[in-house]
Amino acid sequence: DTGVSQDPRHKITKRGQNVTFRCDPISEHNRLYWYRQTLGQGPEFLTYFQNEAQLEKSRLLSDRFSAERPKGSFSTLEIQRTEQGDSAMYLCASSLRQGIPEAFFGQGTRLTVV
Amino acid sequence: KQEVTQIPAALSVPEGENLVLNCSFTDSAIYNLQWFRQDPGKGLTSLLLIQSSQREQTSGRLNASLDKSSGRSTLYIAASQPGDSATYLCAVKRNNDMRFGAGTRLTVKP
């Protein structure tokens, strides 16, 4: 499968625990995005990487959230001290910087904080 | 701040009908507009991308148009099928992020 891959697909955690999600973009894509989607809403932008550089962060990304993309390949999104309000679908997307900038999304990680 | 609105929020049609989904945005200075399909509990599947210099794109039974000056895009689905049932999202891109509408939930009845 050469699409965007996210792991895990589902995560249930207790409030206060830390969680980490992984995203593997399409191999030649140098742009990587994280979005969050709650029920009945469109995805909301969280952060953006070009290669290994994190170039933009939304105000939605509180200090409990951190994202990395070492070596410009896969990316991780960590949420510390999870809260019930963090329950959502976390989506990763990738695209090319040059050429056709079509964004491709992964299947998402559904986080439930209990 | 870019606002994206999709109308209607939900639509139910009998199989075989042609239909139009609408997307409007407040800031016309966009790089591109992309239409996605989302099945329940799943990620987004890209349908069509329209660059800012283009007026429309077609793929099979789908046709998307873009009128930047009026801040509007439409997604036309011809000869709808039950398998088209899903939520359709439009997203406009400016700078490094895409701004999404809340989607139109489409149900095509057999």
Side-chain angles (χ1 to χ4, degrees):
Chain A
D1 188 339
T2 57
V4 179
S5 178
Q6 291 189 245
D7 184 70
R9 293 290 308 279
H10 304 275
K11 179 71 177 178
I12 300 174
T13 190
K14 292 183 179 178
R15 192 173 48 189
Q17 297 294 305
N18 300 342
V19 294
T20 300
F21 311 140
R22 177 179 172 124
C23 171
D24 287 272
I26 293 172
S27 59
E28 63 268 27
H29 285 187
N30 48 15
R31 292 184 163 182
L32 186 146
Y33 310 81
W34 284 99
Y35 284 81
R36 180 173 71 185
Q37 185 180 27
T38 53
L39 203 60
Q41 300 298 313
E44 296 174 292
F45 171 76
L46 292 178
T47 190
Y48 156 69
F49 290 85
Q50 185 166 297
N51 300 313
E52 67 276 8
Q54 187 174 20
L55 297 184
E56 192 163 339
K57 292 193 290 187
S58 162
R59 280 170 287 183
L60 292 175
L61 213 66
S62 76
D63 56 5
R64 296 184 297 106
F65 288 70
S66 63
E68 295 182 343
R69 192 183 182 196
K71 303 177 185 177
S73 55
F74 70 91
S75 175
T76 58
L77 178 68
E78 181 184 17
I79 309 175
Q80 296 182 326
R81 305 181 303 281
T82 52
E83 302 172 355
Q84 287 189 318
D86 297 331
S87 295
M89 174 80 89
Y90 290 83
L91 294 160
C92 176
S94 70
S95 70
L96 284 168
R97 180 167 181 260
Q98 304 293 338
I100 299 174
E102 187 173 3
F104 293 89
F105 278 78
Q107 290 297 299
T109 294
R110 167 74 65 189
L111 173 66
T112 303
V113 182
V114 297
Chain B
K1 178 186 173 186
Q2 178 73 274
E3 300 287 342
V4 182
T5 304
Q6 291 188 247
I7 294 173
L11 180 63
S12 181
V13 300
E15 181 177 3
E17 270 203 10
N18 303 326
L19 58 101
V20 175
L21 307 180
N22 297 291
C23 172
S24 62
F25 47 95
T26 54
D27 185 348
S28 62
I30 63 171
Y31 291 150
N32 60 56
L33 183 145
Q34 197 166 351
W35 283 93
F36 294 89
R37 168 188 173 135
Q38 186 173 33
D39 293 291
K42 305 290 187 183
L44 278 64
T45 299
S46 177
L47 298 174
L48 289 163
L49 170 77
I50 311 177
Q51 307 240 45
S52 61
S53 58
Q54 298 173 323
R55 298 281 295 187
E56 66 177 337
Q57 283 287 328
T58 298
S59 176
R61 294 182 294 109
L62 305 180
N63 176 277
S65 68
L66 174 63
D67 184 343
K68 263 183 44 174
S69 60
S70 67
R72 292 180 183 177
S73 176
T74 61
L75 179 67
Y76 174 82
I77 302 176
S80 59
Q81 302 171 358
D84 295 331
S85 298
T87 296
Y88 290 81
L89 295 153
C90 72
V92 295
K93 189 169 189 293
R94 182 187 177 187
N95 301 322
N96 296 319
D97 66 319
M98 285 181 290
R99 187 88 47 173
F100 283 83
T104 294
R105 189 173 68 255
L106 173 66
T107 303
V108 181
K109 296 176 287 188

